[in-house]
Amino acid sequence: MAEVITLHRAVPRGEPFAPVIPGHNKVELQLFTTLNCNLKCTYCSAAVGDVLHSQGHVEYSLEDLDRFIETHLKDYDVYVTFYGGEPVMNREFMQEVMQRHPQFRFQLQTNGTLIDNLPEPVLGKLSNVLISVDGGEHITDHFRGRGVYRQVVKNLGKVRGSLGGSTTARMTWSSPDTTFEEIDSLLENFDYIYWQFMQAEGGYDPEGMEKKKAVLRQLVARFFQSTDELYPVIPLMGIVRNKVRPDILEREHGGYSQCRVSTHIINVLPDGRIFPCPDMAWAPELQQGDLRGNWLTKSPLQPRPEMPCHDCSAFGFCRYNCMKNLYRGYIHGDNDYRVNVVEPICELVRFLGEEIDRHNPAEWYAKASETVRAEIESCPVYEYVEIMP
Ligand code: SF4
Ligand code: SF4
């Protein structure tokens, strides 16, 4: 098993030699360019605690950003994700950061409706674009507004030739009516699919759970159909990777949560406050830094004994999945959320693991082509998403 590299940084506040960014030498700097958005998605997590629209502009200067990077991230391989709100609404800031730090890698997390407003040089420097959808046209428009899905597909067609890297559909999977065909067809427009289970509309009732399991079964069967051609669905790729190559899980994530919130993601709000999870800026106790104050401490969003993971059959490949969910359900004491969201999602994760095991992933991996194995082991998109659903 590869050695886990632990780096130490001096920080103005917090323990002087605490491993502020543990795990390895990479860090994702997720910059909220604005909290404004041009859509009104019904479930928007940024709307929790009135975060959405609360900060329209970046309040720190580019010099503040440079100083923070120089103090805390100097020796790291930094990759930036532009996030929001809708980050393209502040494209000037994106451009300025790219010009100031051309050595970084860049990703955009967007709703896709304004991406065609970005100039060619910006598009060319994006190594991945994560576009939020909810499934196919019908479900996406149901949550995001009429015509949004077609607008996104049209925009993708316009910018695809100018993009520096891949496109990934980031699907929030909440509806029990999402079908296999709908998910599969996203690959007509995207290079990869990543999905995350969300709070389900109407809750996770037994019928809805069975429907989701049926779709998962189809997805897993499709994934294992070929050893020569990859089915580019990130959660399936990531779980298979974690099962057949646990050494990589330890090396790349220090054995922690795949979403990086316990290790190497830094979310900077427009006002400069820093949080480990982009969905939890409403919880002041989780603030881990301030860009204008130039301080950073280790993520407070860490595994805790109250969380049920160590006794879970999925732990070997799951590793705490979503720390926000575990925090809300087991630390914050939101029992409704635990029963209606966290526990059903954990059941789906365990089901997915069992379904993958039924296809003997180790045997499949042994037979897979070199190209497929390389993608399973180190697909660059793993660095930008949570991997676990
Ligand atoms: S499925 Fe749930 S309980 Fe099990 S390891 Fe994952 S997050 Fe923890
Ligand atoms: S998966 Fe990670 S980053 Fe995403 S909401 Fe959960 S804790 Fe936050």
Side-chain angles (χ1 to χ4, degrees):
M1 187 174 293
E3 187 189 357
V4 175
I5 302 165
T6 303
L7 295 167
H8 299 266
R9 292 287 173 279
V11 288
R13 281 172 55 172
E15 296 170 39
F17 297 105
V20 175
I21 305 171
H24 54 47
N25 65 345
K26 289 178 189 163
V27 62
E28 180 172 359
L29 182 60
Q30 184 143 271
L31 301 175
F32 286 62
T33 73
T34 176
L35 293 182
N36 287 335
C37 186
N38 61 323
L39 297 183
K40 290 192 174 72
C41 308
T42 47
Y43 54 75
C44 181
S45 59
V48 176
D50 293 328
V51 173
L52 190 68
H53 301 302
S54 61
Q55 300 167 39
H57 303 286
V58 171
E59 292 172 22
Y60 53 86
S61 68
L62 289 164
E63 289 71 31
D64 290 335
L65 178 63
D66 292 347
R67 188 172 49 126
F68 181 84
I69 290 168
E70 175 65 22
T71 309
H72 302 284
L73 311 179
K74 192 167 45 147
D75 300 326
Y76 288 92
D77 172 9
V78 179
Y79 55 107
V80 171
T81 295
F82 295 111
Y83 198 88
E86 171 46 52
V88 178
M89 290 178 79
N90 191 357
R91 65 179 181 173
E92 295 76 16
F93 178 77
M94 292 174 59
Q95 270 172 297
E96 282 168 348
V97 174
M98 283 178 161
Q99 281 163 6
R100 255 177 135 92
H101 298 281
Q103 76 280 20
F104 292 170
R105 285 175 291 151
F106 298 96
Q107 170 182 243
L108 173 64
Q109 158 76 65
T110 175
N111 63 35
T113 56
L114 304 172
I115 192 171
D116 55 327
N117 291 342
L118 289 174
E120 293 259 337
V122 171
L123 293 168
K125 279 193 79 67
L126 292 171
S127 55
N128 186 51
V129 178
L130 273 175
I131 298 192
S132 305
V133 292
D134 301 278
E137 180 173 357
H138 175 70
I139 292 179
T140 298
D141 285 4
H142 169 70
F143 286 109
R144 291 172 185 267
R146 211 163 142 207
V148 166
Y149 187 84
R150 283 189 187 204
Q151 180 72 39
V152 169
V153 170
K154 192 171 135 205
N155 287 352
L156 258 182
K158 282 197 218 164
V159 302
R160 192 169 252 282
S162 307
L163 286 174
S166 51
T167 56
T168 304
R170 189 183 200 286
M171 188 183 103
T172 40
W173 188 350
S174 55
S175 170
D177 297 321
T178 302
T179 63
F180 165 77
E181 289 74 19
E182 217 174 327
I183 299 173
D184 186 59
S185 69
L186 289 172
L187 291 172
E188 291 166 14
N189 295 302
F190 295 91
D191 301 316
Y192 297 93
I193 298 171
Y194 164 72
W195 86 77
Q196 193 162 36
F197 293 124
M198 296 287 281
Q199 191 154 9
E201 210 176 29
Y204 280 94
D205 59 33
E207 192 191 343
M209 288 290 279
E210 284 315 306
K211 283 182 174 174
K212 281 198 169 77
K213 286 180 182 176
V215 177
L216 288 176
R217 201 175 285 124
Q218 285 176 288
L219 284 167
V220 172
R222 173 64 189 85
F223 181 87
F224 285 108
Q225 241 174 42
S226 171
T227 47
D228 299 324
E229 187 198 355
L230 181 75
Y231 192 53
V233 178
I234 297 288
L236 304 180
M237 293 163 62
I239 293 175
V240 169
R241 196 272 315 262
N242 289 353
K243 282 176 176 284
V244 301
R245 292 294 305 272
D247 58 309
I248 299 178
L249 166 69
E250 294 294 338
R251 188 171 66 237
E252 292 295 314
H253 296 272
Y256 279 81
S257 176
Q258 297 286 327
C259 75
R260 314 172 297 288
V261 298
S262 301
T263 51
H264 58 284
I265 188 168
I266 293 172
N267 292 279
V268 185
L269 293 184
D271 67 6
R273 285 178 302 139
I274 297 172
F275 289 84
C277 168
D279 281 7
M280 297 192 80
W282 47 265
E285 72 275 17
L286 294 180
Q287 185 178 350
Q288 69 171 122
D290 187 281
L291 195 135
R292 286 186 291 189
N294 200 21
W295 63 273
L296 179 71
T297 56
K298 186 178 173 181
S299 164
L301 205 47
Q302 296 294 326
R304 300 257 289 263
E306 297 92 324
M307 297 172 181
C309 300
H310 276 282
D311 294 329
C312 174
S313 59
F315 182 68
F317 68 89
C318 173
R319 304 296 174 110
Y320 308 102
N321 190 357
C322 172
M323 290 296 285
K324 172 189 77 176
N325 282 351
L326 294 171
Y327 185 85
R328 277 187 71 174
Y330 298 96
I331 309 299
H332 217 245
D334 187 339
N335 286 332
D336 280 352
Y337 190 79
R338 175 175 58 76
V339 171
N340 295 315
V341 181
V342 187
E343 290 176 353
I345 290 176
C346 288
E347 185 182 328
L348 291 172
V349 168
R350 283 189 288 269
F351 174 82
L352 188 52
E354 287 159 14
E355 204 53 29
I356 285 172
D357 286 344
R358 284 200 324 110
H359 291 265
N360 197 339
E363 196 179 296
W364 175 86
Y365 177 72
K367 288 183 189 158
S369 69
E370 280 306 311
T371 319
V372 169
R373 285 168 67 127
E375 282 271 297
I376 290 290
E377 289 162 19
S378 55
C379 172
V381 178
Y382 291 160
E383 293 191 23
Y384 292 123
V385 294
E386 294 90 338
I387 298 184
M388 288 303 300

